[in-house]
Amino acid sequence: MSPTMRTYKRYLLLLLSSIALTVYIFSSKKSSKQQSITFQEINKENSDMSTSAAAKQIIVVGSGLAGLTSAYTALSNGVKVTILEMESKFGGNSIKASSGINGAPTRFQPEPDDLFYQDTVKSAGTIYANSNIKPQREALMKTLVDNSKDAVYFLSDTIGVDLSLVAQLGGHSKPRTHRGAGKTPPGFAIISALLKKIENDFSQLATLKKECRVTKLLTESGVVVGVEYQDLANADAKPTQLFGPVVMAAGGYAGDTTGLVEKYRPDLAGFPSTNSPRQQSLSLLTAIGAQLIDMESIQVHPTGFVDLAAPGSKVKFLAAEALRGHGGILVDPKGNRFVNEVLRRDEVTDAVFEKCPSTSVVGNDGEIKQWESWLVMDEGSVEGIKSNVGFYMFKKLMYKSKLSDLASTLPNIRSSLIKYSQSVKDKKDTEFGRHYYGSWSLNPDEISDDTEVYYGKVTPVLHFTMGGAKFNEHAEFVDEQDKPIDGIWGCGEVTAGVHSSNRLGGSSLLECVVFGRIAGERASKALSGKL
């Protein structure tokens, strides 16, 4: 073989080797890319064959405080947002919130406060104490507490909500639950202001749709890329698909109509609820591999109003914890106090179960389980929460009466009020150990048959679900292996891990704002490829 031919052969072999190496490297990169694919990469790869490529929006499922906060955060980043609400009105259960939002330390608090995290951990109870994922739960609680001051300032300074009044609720070591000084309850005030802000400031970017039930989360290559929803106002309408990163803020299952309460807590079946009946959304999340935790952890609030004209109604108005925080007391059917009213919600509820008689009332929704207790307030305790009491009186859930008239219903009420008022005066409740009396002002020496008080009949109610889809401090839902599910984030009551066994009053609105802001921020970055 000639030298020229040998040189040519060596060149050809080198060329073929180079081509083979290039093909191998390209294949490896493509395989790696498919293993760690992102929402942005799906858009690029499918630009000529999938409508998901045209995604230029974030989809928020739910219009409570969590959903609206995440939407506002994304809109503030210049991102288009579509909000899908199942009900005929915006606001979810958040609009009914009546006690306020926690935050510490804030400029509104009357005293220094570095105990919020400690109180939150203590409230988390046995589920947290016995958990094998303590560090994950602690990361969520720390995120909640560390961002609480900014959450309050976001609502007060950016959205323009008055949160200048601060009360101390059950389970709290300090006053840290914020509300406004006006006539509007905090939930309505916050939701109204946030909706107005979104509609006025982002009319070109925000689309708000009511009566739209999401029926499916759309995925491609393991990434959530959008939703499919049904227009409930048009029974003949075909399902509609929207594409974009998703924020799930669809709420909990305390008013569930699909049997989750009965499945996980059969002992609570038949209890009234503060939540309107609605289908839960957790099945949408489990369909994409989300992990459910703490599903048995359902908060029974000790005080839901019993409408004397419709005692069998399954849906009750919440008798806000702030009513007790401002000084109100609970008495049994004889008019006797039976508990420290500012203990944690679960502790007060247990006292009602133990000390008050149970009844079964048949209503339109079947047999309802109830316990008979009464909330009583004086003029001083009402003064700090007039807007709530005025609303309850308008709805005929609370009444004002002289003790002489109330004695026929609660025979020992006068002696109980004298004893409690003496405890307030002495700043020592020897009977039940209460240490915070709000603005109770009755003088024990001046109580007579003509003394006027406010009162309403109350019973324990299903109020909040601590269980749900597990998520992390980045508001990412996780699968059974604790791996984040790409393309979707969560906030509010649909999530789980923050509260464990029990939620402190005022921390529901707080988690909506804290994790709503995180979810909105991260979804925005995902859409723009900056995450």
Side-chain angles (χ1 to χ4, degrees):
M1 185 180 294
S2 68
T4 303
M5 184 60 72
R6 284 196 297 269
T7 302
Y8 174 75
K9 239 181 134 178
R10 281 196 297 269
Y11 173 77
L12 186 59
L13 287 170
L14 285 170
L15 179 61
L16 290 172
S17 298
S18 177
I19 291 172
L21 182 60
T22 301
V23 170
Y24 173 76
I25 292 172
F26 176 78
S27 299
S28 297
K29 285 184 176 180
K30 187 173 182 181
S31 174
S32 173
K33 182 178 183 180
Q34 288 173 339
Q35 290 172 7
S36 59
I37 197 163
T38 66
F39 187 92
Q40 197 72 9
E41 288 170 325
I42 281 179
N43 281 359
K44 290 178 181 177
E45 288 192 348
N46 296 337
S47 59
D48 59 348
M49 57 184 170
S50 172
T51 50
S52 70
K56 301 293 182 184
Q57 65 184 338
I58 289 171
I59 302 157
V60 176
V61 183
S63 69
L65 182 55
L68 293 181
T69 299
S70 62
Y72 182 89
T73 302
L75 291 164
S76 298
N77 289 330
V79 176
K80 287 186 177 180
V81 175
T82 296
I83 300 173
L84 300 177
E85 169 56 49
M86 187 192 306
E87 301 296 329
S88 58
K89 296 180 180 180
F90 296 118
N93 283 316
S94 302
I95 202 167
K96 299 186 286 187
S98 48
S99 287
I101 178 171
N102 294 333
T106 74
R107 63 177 181 268
F108 303 116
Q109 289 180 275
E111 57 187 271
D113 181 6
D114 60 357
L115 299 175
F116 189 13
Y117 181 75
Q118 175 182 308
D119 288 346
T120 301
V121 171
K122 185 177 180 181
S123 175
T126 55
I127 289 180
Y128 163 72
N130 300 328
S131 176
N132 59 359
I133 55 168
K134 269 189 176 182
Q136 297 174 34
R137 295 181 188 272
E138 288 164 358
L140 288 167
M141 290 188 285
K142 192 172 188 303
T143 300
L144 181 80
V145 171
D146 288 353
N147 290 280
S148 65
K149 177 179 72 173
D150 290 340
V152 169
Y153 291 166
F154 162 74
L155 293 176
S156 62
D157 301 351
T158 303
I159 306 303
V161 182
D162 175 20
L163 296 172
S164 57
L165 290 185
V166 184
Q168 183 171 340
L169 304 188
H172 292 267
S173 300
K174 301 278 186 178
R176 63 172 70 100
T177 307
H178 298 65
R179 57 181 291 113
K183 296 181 178 181
T184 308
F188 188 86
I190 292 170
I191 293 297
S192 299
L194 198 45
L195 270 173
K196 185 177 180 181
K197 195 82 170 169
I198 289 172
E199 291 170 347
N200 290 348
D201 294 0
F202 302 109
S203 59
Q204 300 302 311
L205 294 175
T207 301
L208 289 81
K209 293 177 176 289
K210 293 180 286 190
E211 297 184 278
C212 295
R213 183 168 66 86
V214 173
T215 55
K216 186 178 182 180
L217 293 170
L218 305 175
T219 61
E220 292 179 13
S221 303
V223 179
V224 176
V225 295
V227 304
E228 184 173 281
Y229 72 90
Q230 184 69 44
D231 182 356
L232 299 178
N234 184 356
D236 298 325
K238 293 182 178 180
T240 302
Q241 292 187 341
L242 287 180
F243 291 91
V246 176
V247 174
M248 181 64 78
Y253 51 95
D256 173 47
T257 60
T258 55
L260 285 182
V261 172
E262 190 169 358
K263 176 181 179 180
Y264 290 100
R265 287 293 302 274
D267 57 311
L268 299 181
F271 272 56
S273 174
T274 58
N275 296 267
S276 301
R278 62 186 296 172
Q279 291 185 337
Q280 49 78 26
S281 299
L282 290 174
S283 58
L284 301 175
L285 293 165
T286 55
I288 61 166
Q291 179 184 168
L292 301 184
I293 62 170
D294 302 343
M295 290 296 288
E296 77 285 1
S297 187
I298 300 173
Q299 185 171 81
V300 182
H301 195 288
T303 55
F305 279 116
V306 177
D307 185 344
L308 300 182
S313 174
K314 188 169 185 178
V315 179
K316 309 288 190 188
F317 275 98
L318 185 71
E321 190 168 346
L323 297 171
R324 288 174 281 127
H326 279 275
I329 62 171
L330 294 176
V331 298
D332 64 19
K334 293 182 179 180
N336 299 317
R337 278 183 76 210
F338 58 89
V339 68
N340 173 355
E341 295 85 357
V342 292
L343 292 174
R344 293 195 319 265
R345 290 177 175 179
D346 56 329
E347 294 174 310
V348 177
T349 298
D350 286 345
V352 174
F353 290 156
E354 181 183 350
K355 302 292 185 180
C356 299
S358 62
T359 58
S360 292
V361 182
V362 178
N364 294 332
D365 299 305
E367 189 173 336
I368 307 299
K369 297 178 182 177
Q370 297 184 164
W371 281 257
E372 185 179 352
S373 60
W374 296 79
L375 171 75
V376 182
M377 304 178 73
D378 74 337
E379 287 285 358
S381 56
V382 165
E383 186 64 29
I385 195 166
K386 268 187 175 180
S387 58
N388 286 52
V389 174
F391 172 76
Y392 299 142
M393 293 184 71
F394 170 76
K395 298 293 290 185
K396 295 185 178 179
L397 300 171
M398 285 190 77
Y399 302 87
K400 186 178 182 180
S401 174
K402 291 182 178 181
L403 288 183
S404 56
D405 297 326
L406 189 56
S408 60
T409 303
L410 304 172
N412 299 335
I413 188 62
R414 180 174 174 178
S415 61
S416 293
L417 292 183
I418 291 174
K419 191 181 297 184
Y420 177 67
S421 297
Q422 188 65 52
S423 297
V424 175
K425 184 177 180 180
D426 297 339
K427 297 182 180 180
K428 187 175 184 180
D429 180 9
T430 56
E431 195 170 12
F432 298 105
R434 181 168 177 164
H435 58 86
Y436 183 76
Y437 310 99
S439 50
W440 187 274
S441 62
L442 271 181
N443 188 320
D445 300 324
E446 297 174 357
I447 294 175
S448 68
D449 286 346
D450 292 330
T451 299
E452 292 186 320
V453 294
Y454 299 79
Y455 67 99
K457 190 176 183 180
V458 291
T459 187
V461 286
L462 303 186
H463 178 55
F464 187 88
T465 52
M466 282 73 70
K470 185 180 180 182
F471 80 147
N472 61 27
E473 67 270 27
H474 305 301
E476 298 168 317
F477 289 115
V478 298
D479 62 18
E480 293 291 344
Q481 288 72 46
D482 283 340
K483 179 185 175 183
I485 301 171
D486 291 333
I488 186 168
W489 293 262
C491 46
E493 199 175 348
V494 73
T495 65
V498 180
H499 308 293
S500 299
S501 293
N502 185 66
R503 176 179 66 75
L504 285 173
S507 283
S508 175
L509 294 185
L510 175 62
E511 75 164 316
C512 289
V513 177
V514 169
F515 291 104
R517 296 179 78 190
I518 293 172
E521 189 67 37
R522 293 184 72 84
S524 301
K525 289 181 178 179
L527 186 64
S528 60
K530 297 178 181 178
L531 189 63

